[in-house]
Amino acid sequence: MPDIYFRSNDRNFTLLKGDCIEALHNFDFRFDVIFADPPYFLSNGGISVQSGKIVCVDKGDWDKGGTPEHIADFNRQWIAACRDHLKENGSIWVSGTYHNIFSVAQVLTELDFKILNVITWAKTNPPPNISCRYFTYSTEFVIWARKSKKVPHVFNYDVMKHINGDKQMTDVWRLPAIARWEKSCGKHPTQKPLSLLVRILLASTPQQAWVLDPFAGSSSTGIAANLLGHRYLGIDLEDEFLEIGKNRRLEIEDPAIARTYRKKIPDIAAADDLRLPFACEDIPLPELPF
């Protein structure tokens, strides 16, 4: 049985401790959407700027690169495991930089996914380039792919158009990096902003979806999912990061904090104008088998 680290009282937020490849082989369940922020393999001793100070970019041993063959094999294993847990009309989002995203795209193609878009996340507040020897790194990429080439995926086109000022949304998203208020329970070195995860879920989920994140980290995916009325399963190896995710979930059990967070995320405020049914008591919800 999977090793449950934490489960909320309403069972809408579950964290498993362990290697995602092993954990996913231990149960049978299908998710509507998967978001994955796998290791980028960029911890090579480089430097950057954070809060005005020069810092090392190394994230941890889990982010240290290997050979291209090693990286491709790792991506093949975890993506294959995720594919087995995705509904036939489900889709997967995978974030990365040039360090890993080409390998991810190749593996998705090998495993018969249909790549729908490659989103360019253009950060509105990137750290400066202190070497002045090349252009400032200000983007990350998110590949969006569906499981089946023949089964239609969920795309909430009207919602995306509405939050984009009634214009078709492009594949370039200008969103800020992580905000200070999102670190209230601790800091993860690769934490994604809630604004990014909320947009991804608003775009590609049905009502009250089940969302999987195989590299949960600080559980930004889970917080975004719960704020939108979805259910979440996250998997991670590190106690430190699982504890941050747990505390973030406990934090939004305070209705006032949850309301404040929703107001801070522009896409939620815009989507609220459509009066989307983020929660619907009439929909029977499947339960995890553990």
Side-chain angles (χ1 to χ4, degrees), residues 109-267:
T109 302
E110 287 177 9
L111 294 177
D112 213 31
F113 284 87
K114 177 179 175 60
I115 294 178
L116 302 168
N117 282 111
V118 180
I119 302 299
T120 299
W121 169 27
K123 301 176 186 178
T124 56
N125 54 345
N129 170 14
I130 59 177
S131 74
C132 302
R133 298 293 296 170
Y134 38 77
F135 298 108
T136 298
Y137 292 118
S138 62
T139 60
E140 292 186 36
F141 306 102
V142 189
I143 296 177
W144 182 32
R146 75 185 190 198
K147 179 178 181 178
S148 174
K149 293 182 178 180
K150 296 183 178 180
V151 179
H153 59 284
V154 174
F155 178 43
N156 298 315
Y157 169 85
D158 290 338
V159 176
M160 292 295 99
K161 184 177 179 181
H162 177 77
I163 65 178
N164 196 47
D166 287 325
K167 299 178 181 179
Q168 286 189 332
M169 186 171 289
T170 73
D171 59 1
V172 178
W173 295 357
R174 292 174 175 83
L175 297 169
I178 190 77
R180 181 170 296 182
W181 59 269
E182 298 181 62
K183 305 175 187 177
S184 59
C185 296
K187 181 181 176 182
H188 185 281
T190 64
Q191 185 171 334
K192 294 297 180 286
L194 288 172
S195 59
L196 177 68
L197 274 305
V198 162
R199 181 169 296 182
I200 284 171
L201 296 181
L202 281 174
S204 59
T205 51
Q207 292 180 30
Q208 291 184 294
W210 265 107
V211 179
L212 169 67
D213 188 335
F215 305 97
S218 59
S219 289
S220 293
T221 306
I223 300 304
N226 281 185
L227 289 174
L228 294 174
H230 301 313
R231 309 184 84 180
Y232 165 77
L233 175 67
I235 307 171
D236 206 280
L237 276 168
E238 303 291 336
D239 284 334
E240 176 187 1
F241 302 151
L242 289 165
E243 192 66 15
I244 293 174
K246 168 188 170 182
N247 289 332
R248 293 182 77 190
R249 177 53 173 82
L250 293 173
E251 182 180 58
I252 64 168
E253 289 184 3
D254 182 334
I257 293 177
R259 285 194 300 270
T260 298
Y261 279 16
R262 288 174 58 86
K263 290 178 181 178
K264 287 178 178 287
I265 302 169
D267 283 0

Side-chain angles (χ1 to χ4, degrees), residues 86-107:
L86 194 58
K87 291 181 179 178
E88 288 304 309
N89 69 336
S91 60
I92 185 171
W93 301 74
V94 187
S95 64
T97 60
Y98 73 86
H99 302 83
N100 72 323
I101 204 68
F102 301 111
S103 171
V104 167
Q106 180 64 36
V107 170

